Amino acid sequence: MSLLFLIPLTIGLAVSYLFKNSTDDIAELTSLSTVACLIVSLILVPWQLKVVFLMLAILTPRRSETFE
């Protein structure tokens, strides 16, 4: 299994760390870069992990909060 999908994931995590410690103008750029890196990482991930992510998304219970 190729681990190339970890490269954009690591870059995205590093950029998100910079997002916390940056000013307003840079924060917009870093947030866009983080989202782009995470999307690329999800595209490059092997199909086995995509199935695991899909199963986690389906099987996690959702909270239904009703406000009265």
Side-chain angles (χ1 to χ4, degrees):
M1 180 183 322
S2 177
L3 298 176
L4 289 176
F5 71 94
L6 290 176
I7 294 171
L9 181 63
T10 306
I11 292 170
L13 292 174
V15 170
S16 67
Y17 173 76
L18 290 174
F19 170 71
K20 286 184 172 182
N21 301 326
S22 61
T23 61
D24 291 334
D25 295 335
I26 289 289
E28 294 177 10
L29 293 174
T30 55
S31 63
L32 289 174
S33 176
T34 301
V35 169
C37 286
L38 292 176
I39 289 172
V40 169
S41 178
L42 286 175
I43 290 172
L44 294 177
V45 73
W47 70 268
Q48 294 93 342
L49 291 177
K50 288 180 185 177
V51 170
V52 170
F53 294 151
L54 180 63
M55 294 303 293
L56 286 174
I58 291 173
L59 296 177
T60 53
R62 292 185 184 177
R63 281 190 188 174
S64 60
E65 297 181 16
T66 57
F67 296 104
E68 295 180 21

